Amino acid sequence: MTKQAEFAVILKMNPMFADLGPDELQRISGLCHTQQLATGEMLFQKGDHGDALFGVRRGQIRIETGAQDGSRLTLNFQGPGDLFGEVAVLDGQSRTADATASEPTELFVLRREDFLGHLEREPKVALKLIALLCQRIRWMSERMEESVLQPLPVRLARRLCALASDFGSEVHISQEQLGVFVGAARESVNRQLQAWRKDGILDLQRGRILLKNVGKLTAVARNE
């Protein structure tokens, strides 16, 4: 399978492109090229010019932002099959967060000028993109609600379940990163993870978490 064909498969799995036919997907994927990143290498920084849409072929990208006190907040993780950069590629404004490779990563890159030219020719793709951006806004609103209203076990369980849905039962993330992700101190995260380990819900390894009972974790995430 060619790289363009792989990108077409990724596009097909994304809600924005799911209803497009194979010929249309092939035309869009034909506009892309690939980019390699080493572990820890930055793809872009907050404030950089938004000039591309990215799809993860392999590896993982961490989306995060920083505060004036030097602390970091992880907003999301992007893994194989994920697309990101939709906002900046549309409005051409600066990036709203940093993007860094968590491991060796290969990306599909769709340049803004090429993508916008295609949207002008195919307005139904633009309508799909609007729907996807609305979905992202709802997602961010839910995360803000969680941080204010939900206790730590619920927030932590929801994040682990979300990561597991993308990356499987072996989640590669440090407790410190997870703490930033849910807005809690590493010590608090560790205490909760240790309690779940004793209950047989998960196991802890260096730099990763092995989910052993996703059913119980899902029940916690639902606050049941």
Side-chain angles (χ1 to χ4, degrees), residues 109-126:
V109 182
L110 184 58
R111 294 296 178 190
R112 181 174 187 267
E113 57 184 20
D114 297 329
F115 190 45
L116 291 185
H118 186 77
L119 292 182
E120 291 176 356
R121 297 187 296 271
E122 299 290 342
K124 62 182 178 181
V125 180

Side-chain angles (χ1 to χ4, degrees), residues 75-134:
L75 302 175
N76 205 357
F77 289 95
Q78 306 290 348
D82 289 335
L83 295 179
F84 63 98
E86 299 93 339
V87 174
V89 80
L90 280 178
D91 62 17
Q93 299 299 308
S94 58
R95 300 288 183 183
T96 58
D98 301 337
T100 306
S102 302
E103 58 188 70
T105 299
E106 183 175 9
L107 300 171
F108 293 108
V109 182
L110 184 58
R111 294 296 178 190
R112 181 174 187 267
E113 57 184 20
D114 297 329
F115 190 45
L116 291 185
H118 186 77
L119 292 182
E120 291 176 356
R121 297 187 296 271
E122 299 290 342
K124 62 182 178 181
V125 180
L127 292 176
K128 280 286 182 180
L129 186 57
I130 291 171
L132 178 64
L133 293 175
C134 291

